[in-house]
Amino acid sequence: MKNHTEIKVRGYHLDLYGHVNNARYLEFIEEARWALFEEHLGNLAAKGYSFFVVNININYKSPATLGDTIEIDSRITRFGGKSCTLKQTMTKKGAGTPVVEADVTFVIAGPEGKALPVEGDIRDMLEPFAA
């Protein structure tokens, strides 16, 4: 299962060239991650777990402009010993034009702030979002 988030491009997202500023795309994919965790993984926080991004690799494919609705699909593509990789793909709604692709590596930390192994209940909560 993948998580799906939509964001409408507003004037304050744009740079002087009339398209979404590169830093805003990072905010867009962050919004999609928050939506994923709020909608489906809220019990992680209830158990005292935290979600930390440790690496982002982002590829810009085409610009988004004022009025575009952006669709962001998020799915886990890799499970490691203590980290996972979330693939986030951004397209223009309706056209399907690729805008951004990002690989976000993250860890789940316990109450003491240390990364936990991706196993047991943590793996069970994340597994439905695997590609």
Side-chain angles (χ1 to χ4, degrees):
M1 169 173 60
K2 61 185 170 186
N3 192 64
H4 183 81
T5 304
E6 290 186 8
I7 296 173
K8 183 164 178 134
V9 176
R10 309 286 183 193
Y12 63 90
H13 295 134
L14 305 181
D15 59 20
L16 293 174
Y17 303 107
H19 55 72
V20 173
N21 181 275
N22 65 300
R24 291 290 187 165
Y25 292 114
L26 292 168
E27 293 174 359
F28 290 174
I29 63 174
E30 181 179 24
E31 178 65 28
R33 288 192 305 277
W34 273 97
L36 168 68
F37 281 90
E38 286 177 347
E39 292 171 25
H40 303 288
L41 303 171
N43 53 354
L44 278 173
K47 293 183 177 191
Y49 297 149
S50 301
F51 174 92
F52 295 118
V53 171
V54 296
N55 184 276
I56 296 178
N57 292 307
I58 188 166
N59 293 305
Y60 301 97
K61 302 291 187 179
S62 65
T65 57
L66 183 64
D68 288 340
T69 297
I70 302 300
E71 298 178 306
I72 305 165
D73 290 320
S74 305
R75 68 189 191 296
I76 295 175
T77 56
R78 184 192 64 81
F79 289 97
K82 289 190 176 182
S83 67
C84 296
T85 301
L86 186 69
K87 169 71 86 180
Q88 294 189 273
T89 305
M90 187 181 305
T91 57
K92 290 182 186 179
K93 186 175 183 177
T97 305
V99 176
V100 162
E101 290 181 358
D103 291 310
V104 180
T105 303
F106 67 93
V107 299
I108 302 295
E112 64 287 334
K114 297 199 183 276
L116 299 171
V118 182
E119 57 189 29
D121 63 337
I122 294 172
R123 175 88 182 220
D124 292 343
M125 285 186 277
L126 297 173
E127 191 72 42
F129 301 96

